[in-house]
Amino acid sequence: TITAIEPRSPAEQAGLSKGMRVLTVNGQTPRSLVDCHRLLLARATDLAVTLQVEDKGQRRSITVRMVPCKDLVKQRFGLTLRPLTDQEAAALGGKPNDAAVIEQVEKNGPADKAKLQPGLLLTRVDDLKGGDLLRAVKFVAAKRPGDRLRVGFLIPRNPGVGELGTELVAR
């Protein structure tokens, strides 16, 4: 049973709502919440997911077009990220999941207004650090226009400075 829908999310846009029961995911019946999550993520190359739902005794099919994490970050914050390579992580004495490299910053977007630049290493999103960084998309997805997102970053050319921080304002 759906207990909450993120505002402006693909689920909301497709017509899903709180209280609906998910009966099938792409034609397969999930046995548990974990199994439902697995079925949703199994379509990594095809972002359209078809759900059979029950709402107030009526059954219907709803197709949800999922948004890749990188697109969501770009839409909300004007920022393109990529994971650290093994070589970059080794040079910093860390692991690839410890940070993400800022590849592009959209002119006049939230990241540009916060003075973030390509090449900086994003190390924290709100309270998630390091290995949790990739899970931070749930925080990004929940942000509404005007909401703030705290980020921490490193300047790789100046490792002695330590982590710096700033806030981005969602659009």
Side-chain angles (χ1 to χ4, degrees), residues 56-111:
K56 300 175 185 140
Q58 303 268 336
R59 289 182 180 209
R60 63 183 171 133
S61 182
I62 295 178
T63 300
V64 180
R65 179 97 178 128
M66 296 168 61
V67 177
C69 174
K70 65 179 186 147
D71 293 349
L72 185 60
V73 170
K74 188 172 183 175
Q75 287 170 9
R76 300 275 168 87
F77 297 103
L79 186 65
T80 303
L81 301 170
R82 71 165 172 80
L84 281 178
T85 65
D86 290 337
Q87 295 81 6
E88 290 167 329
L92 295 167
K95 296 176 274 200
N97 283 344
D98 286 347
V101 179
I102 297 175
E103 280 200 311
Q104 295 178 337
V105 176
E106 184 181 287
K107 187 172 174 71
N108 297 318

Side-chain angles (χ1 to χ4, degrees), residues 91-167:
L92 295 167
K95 296 176 274 200
N97 283 344
D98 286 347
V101 179
I102 297 175
E103 280 200 311
Q104 295 178 337
V105 176
E106 184 181 287
K107 187 172 174 71
N108 297 318
D112 186 40
K113 290 176 183 171
K115 307 281 190 240
L116 294 177
Q117 300 171 9
L120 295 177
L121 302 178
L122 191 66
T123 57
R124 180 176 40 86
V125 175
D126 278 345
D127 295 325
L128 296 178
K129 289 182 126 186
D132 289 334
L133 193 60
L134 296 178
R135 287 181 269 165
V137 71
K138 73 179 184 179
F139 290 108
V140 173
K143 298 295 181 185
R144 295 183 179 143
D147 284 353
R148 296 182 180 279
L149 180 74
R150 294 182 327 269
V151 296
F153 60 92
L154 293 173
I155 303 170
R157 295 171 304 282
N158 198 350
V161 170
E163 185 182 81
L164 302 171
T166 192
E167 286 187 339

